[in-house]
Amino acid sequence: MATEHIVVVGAGQMGSGIAQVALQAGLRVTLVDVSKEGLAKGADRIRAGLKKLAEKGKLDEARLQAAYANLATAERATEVQGVDFAVEAVTENEELKRRIFVELDSVVKPGGILATNTSSISITRIAAATKRPENVIGMHFMNPVPLMQLVEIIRGAATSEETYQTTRALAEKMGKTTVVSKDFPGFIVNRILIPMLNEACFALMEGVGSVEDIDTAMKLGTNQPMGPLQLADFIGLDTVLYIAEVLHKGLGDDKYRPSPLLRQYVDAGWYGKKSGRGFYKY
């Protein structure tokens, strides 16, 4: 089934980014968020992103106007009907995601696909909340979505081959490169990334080096664009901690144990860039 109309649930940075690349690909998009203010900000962010592309000559005037016209908004997913494909992009909270998937089950066309942008939560468990687990899949975009090329596709225990192929085709239509992961905690990217960030927290806690020295060492020593502590700040230390806990609980190995320093920073409300303070001050 060709995808023409998608609903994106969550108008934050990830959701608005996903909506933008879908609009650039010529799709009709309905952006959904329970917060009227958040919805307005998300729609403004999308239009600004599209306008910037047009100013750089990457989007002609006809496609820009078509993208503007193809964007609709709603405060509840149940307000939208006739959707081919849904992408959920709300905060990393399993209970919240499962509730949203129950709603999406009634919104998406029979045979249509329900995707989650989760970076760590079991696709199989989310799928079990629906009446169509074979049509549920993980579609993990990287942040910032318009700039990052990768989409990590995660197949749950019941995900059908047709669901996978349709999802892959949609990601490629959005200009992304895909990889496939089995449904294990953290999938591929966070299974490898989060332990590195967590280890940087342990190194700082143990006095191996300062924040600046740890980040400079990893940037220049391993040719990364930013150091692990700065990256953790950009992701959000609360999110890093949550994924570390998912890895620790799901895999049962102490090598995934979250750093006490990371936990302390989160307890203090020092979440990184979004709160103005993490390992750095913003």
Side-chain angles (χ1 to χ4, degrees), residues 122-176:
S122 166
I123 308 304
T124 302
R125 287 202 305 270
I126 292 173
T130 75
K131 295 172 183 173
R132 55 172 107 185
E134 69 280 2
N135 296 138
V136 177
I137 197 162
M139 197 179 192
H140 180 209
F141 290 81
M142 305 296 129
N143 188 26
V145 179
L147 299 179
M148 298 290 278
Q149 195 177 354
L150 183 70
V151 170
E152 190 176 28
I153 297 176
I154 306 97
R155 300 179 68 151
T159 305
S160 71
E161 179 64 20
E162 185 181 358
T163 294
Y164 163 67
Q165 293 295 347
T166 302
T167 303
R168 180 180 172 185
L170 178 61
E172 289 174 351
K173 188 174 182 177
M174 293 178 179
K176 304 302 182 185

Side-chain angles (χ1 to χ4, degrees), residues 120-122 154-155 181-188 191 247 251:
S120 61
I121 297 168
S122 166
I154 306 97
R155 300 179 68 151
S181 172
K182 290 185 177 177
D183 189 18
F184 288 112
F187 317 134
I188 295 172
R191 172 76 177 263
L247 290 171
L251 297 168

Side-chain angles (χ1 to χ4, degrees), residues 255-276:
K255 72 180 180 179
Y256 299 109
R257 177 174 65 94
S259 161
L261 182 64
L262 173 61
R263 195 178 296 281
Q264 185 184 56
Y265 273 45
V266 172
D267 287 345
W270 299 345
Y271 300 147
K273 190 177 181 185
K274 63 187 174 186
S275 69

Side-chain angles (χ1 to χ4, degrees), residues 5-8 19 23 28-32 39 43 46-47 67-74 80:
H5 181 196
I6 77 167
V7 62
V8 178
L23 290 163
R28 285 173 53 222
V29 177
T30 303
L31 184 67
V32 176
L39 196 55
I46 291 164
R47 293 187 191 101
Y68 284 164
N70 280 335
L71 175 63
T73 60
V80 193

Side-chain angles (χ1 to χ4, degrees), residues 4-218:
E4 295 177 0
H5 181 196
I6 77 167
V7 62
V8 178
V9 181
Q13 192 168 2
M14 292 303 294
S16 57
I18 294 165
Q20 181 185 318
V21 296
L23 290 163
Q24 287 168 216
L27 299 168
R28 285 173 53 222
V29 177
T30 303
L31 184 67
V32 176
D33 200 294
V34 292
S35 163
K36 191 174 285 188
E37 183 185 358
L39 196 55
K41 281 184 179 177
D44 286 346
R45 193 183 296 121
I46 291 164
R47 293 187 191 101
L50 293 168
K51 187 179 178 184
K52 202 170 186 180
L53 286 173
E55 287 169 351
K56 290 181 177 178
K58 295 181 179 179
L59 204 62
D60 63 36
E61 185 63 23
R63 286 174 61 207
L64 175 65
Q65 294 305 322
Y68 284 164
N70 280 335
L71 175 63
T73 60
E75 289 177 44
R76 289 290 299 271
T78 48
E79 295 173 28
V80 193
Q81 293 299 323
V83 179
D84 303 309
F85 201 108
V87 183
E88 166 275 312
V90 302
T91 188
E92 284 289 90
N93 179 304
E94 184 171 338
E95 194 50 46
L96 174 61
K97 288 180 187 290
R98 284 170 65 89
R99 287 202 306 270
I100 289 169
F101 269 71
V102 171
E103 276 194 15
L104 291 175
D105 214 357
S106 66
V107 168
V108 177
K109 289 177 182 176
I113 293 168
L114 283 61
T116 172
N117 183 56
T118 181
S119 57
S120 61
I121 297 168
S122 166
I123 308 304
T124 302
R125 287 202 305 270
I126 292 173
T130 75
K131 295 172 183 173
R132 55 172 107 185
E134 69 280 2
N135 296 138
V136 177
I137 197 162
M139 197 179 192
H140 180 209
F141 290 81
M142 305 296 129
N143 188 26
V145 179
L147 299 179
M148 298 290 278
Q149 195 177 354
L150 183 70
V151 170
E152 190 176 28
I153 297 176
I154 306 97
R155 300 179 68 151
T159 305
S160 71
E161 179 64 20
E162 185 181 358
T163 294
Y164 163 67
Q165 293 295 347
T166 302
T167 303
R168 180 180 172 185
L170 178 61
E172 289 174 351
K173 188 174 182 177
M174 293 178 179
K176 304 302 182 185
T177 298
T178 66
V179 295
V180 186
S181 172
K182 290 185 177 177
D183 189 18
F184 288 112
F187 317 134
I188 295 172
V189 173
N190 283 326
R191 172 76 177 263
I192 296 166
L193 175 65
I194 297 301
M196 182 186 78
L197 305 187
N198 192 43
E199 194 61 31
C201 296
F202 272 113
L204 179 64
M205 184 179 78
E206 293 164 11
V208 175
S210 67
V211 170
E212 291 79 8
D213 283 347
I214 289 168
D215 275 355
T216 300
M218 293 304 292

